[in-house]
Amino acid sequence: MEKLLLFSFAAPQMWLQIVLFVVGIAVVLWGADRLTDGAVGLAERMGVPQIVIGLTIVAMGTSMPEFFVSFMSAIHGTPDLAVGNVVGSNIFNAMLIVGCAAAVSPIVILHDTVKKDIPFALVSSVVLLMMCMDASISRIDAGILLAMFCFFMMVTIRGAHEEKKEEEAQPKSVDADAVEIKKTMSVGKAVFLTFLGLVCLILGSNVFVDNVSAIAHTLGMSDALIGLTIVACGTSLPELATSVVAARRGNSGIAIGNVLGSNVFNILMILGVTGLISPMHIQGITDVDLSVMVISVILLWFFSYTKYRIERWEGGVLILSFASYLTYLILQAV
């Protein structure tokens, strides 16, 4: 009973914890969708280039679940869940999401993406691996991560016009939903949706983290394992839906840009802000987990570099790699 008192939104019965766990993740996903709609509506009204929206606003919007779950986890004293969520989400993004998107339709990769965006995602992953070698993320480490994020944003915005020209030179499908938002969404509605999304993310992530932590302790599972699996997969659902739908509509730039932007945001922004507020001492995240995160980006880079596209069979390799890693985690927990 003492453990349950640590979780302000955790129910006393396990069956109710499971119900609240599902409700929490549903509210988080719904809030992320509203936040993304509102942010895109504001960006369109402000005349922000579409490529910037894809790499930044959409990526940040779909990464909001990871941000709030990790933030609340660190505040509640479960840093393994916070870091495990980010590491697991990045592995999920690079392997399963890209794999599923490529399986639906081969993904065309822009030259600048291979030269700049993927390498930066790889550098971010390697930096996190190095920082975790002492089993902690200090405020100095967090400050370095935030500085790297600011640099990434500056480079992305500066190169937006060139990337937009390359994107316009390629055939692209029209997203009816995006067109509708651009034409009909007022500034007031966009602001309201953004605020509503943030409120839902805060409340939903609190309920989600509290109950999944309570379930984990009841079952004798570690916060790290829960963060690497259930929480990571759950908070990555917005990226999965966005990328698969984008690939099916033939918009490869959004599909791959969403994943890369989310991975960079997860490491640099989420752990940067979380680490500044509450330095994290990590115990359950292993070198294997961190190494798989780095290898997943290397695989993505290799497949992208060969023909500047990710074929269906390469997507299958990524999916199989993720399944192997998930099997490893399950076997280790048994």
Side-chain angles (χ1 to χ4, degrees):
M1 194 66 181
E2 292 180 359
K3 286 184 179 178
L4 291 177
L5 294 176
L6 296 174
F7 312 111
S8 56
F9 287 96
Q13 295 87 16
M14 186 171 181
W15 70 268
L16 190 54
Q17 291 169 1
I18 295 174
V19 171
L20 291 177
F21 161 77
V22 175
V23 170
I25 195 170
V27 172
V28 165
L29 295 177
W30 189 86
D33 193 37
R34 300 289 80 75
L35 175 62
T36 301
D37 285 348
V40 171
L42 284 173
E44 294 287 0
R45 287 288 184 179
M46 295 168 61
V48 177
Q50 188 68 36
I51 186 63
V52 175
I53 294 174
L55 287 174
T56 57
I57 295 177
V58 174
M60 290 181 188
T62 56
S63 287
M64 281 295 106
E66 286 94 332
F67 174 76
F68 282 103
V69 167
S70 295
F71 180 76
M72 296 301 174
S73 297
I75 289 179
H76 292 168
T78 55
D80 283 351
L81 188 61
V83 180
N85 176 36
V86 167
V87 174
S89 293
N90 280 18
I91 295 172
F92 187 92
N93 289 349
M95 288 185 173
L96 189 61
I97 292 181
V98 175
C100 290
V104 170
S105 178
I107 301 177
V108 178
I109 310 296
L110 295 177
H111 188 260
D112 279 354
T113 299
V114 175
K115 287 180 58 180
K116 182 186 68 176
D117 299 325
I118 300 179
F120 200 90
L122 178 59
V123 169
S124 301
S125 300
V126 172
V127 167
L128 177 59
L129 186 151
M130 294 174 64
M131 286 182 175
C132 290
M133 284 183 177
D134 61 352
S136 67
I137 296 179
S138 65
R139 284 193 169 91
I140 294 178
D141 293 334
I144 293 173
L145 294 176
L146 278 177
M148 290 178 63
F149 178 74
C150 292
F151 176 76
F152 172 75
M153 291 295 295
M154 181 183 67
V155 171
T156 299
I157 294 174
R158 281 186 177 180
H161 295 293
E162 295 179 6
E163 292 176 9
K164 186 179 180 183
K165 289 179 182 178
E166 289 188 30
E167 186 182 63
E168 290 174 346
Q170 296 182 357
K172 57 182 179 180
S173 59
V174 178
D175 188 331
D177 295 333
V179 172
E180 182 180 354
I181 290 173
K182 183 177 180 180
K183 288 185 177 180
T184 65
M185 184 176 289
S186 64
V187 174
K189 182 178 180 181
V191 172
F192 173 74
L193 286 178
T194 303
F195 177 76
L196 178 62
L198 284 171
V199 171
C200 289
L201 285 167
I202 293 172
L203 293 177
S205 60
N206 263 294
V207 174
F208 181 78
V209 171
D210 289 351
N211 285 279
V212 79
S213 298
I215 293 171
H217 282 86
T218 300
L219 297 177
M221 300 171 67
S222 68
D223 289 326
L225 178 61
I226 294 295
L228 286 166
T229 54
I230 298 174
V231 178
C233 293
T235 55
S236 290
L237 288 180
E239 286 95 333
L240 177 60
T242 301
S243 295
V244 170
V245 170
R248 188 177 51 132
R249 292 174 176 173
N251 201 331
S252 300
I254 291 181
I256 194 70
N258 176 43
V259 167
L260 294 174
S262 295
N263 276 23
V264 172
F265 184 85
N266 288 348
I267 293 175
L268 303 184
M269 182 64 177
I270 292 178
L271 292 184
V273 171
T274 303
L276 277 180
I277 295 175
S278 177
M280 294 172 282
H281 298 283
I282 308 160
Q283 294 180 346
I285 310 301
T286 67
D287 291 339
V288 173
D289 302 318
L290 294 165
S291 298
V292 170
M293 177 184 65
V294 173
I295 291 171
S296 67
V297 182
I298 294 175
L299 272 177
L300 179 58
W301 194 12
F302 175 75
F303 288 151
S304 301
Y305 186 79
T306 51
K307 295 180 181 178
Y308 288 95
R309 59 187 280 132
I310 300 177
E311 304 288 354
R312 283 190 172 91
W313 73 266
E314 293 171 326
V317 171
L318 291 173
I319 294 173
L320 182 61
S321 299
F322 178 79
S324 300
Y325 170 67
L326 191 60
T327 301
Y328 164 80
L329 288 180
I330 295 173
L331 291 176
Q332 289 294 110
V334 174

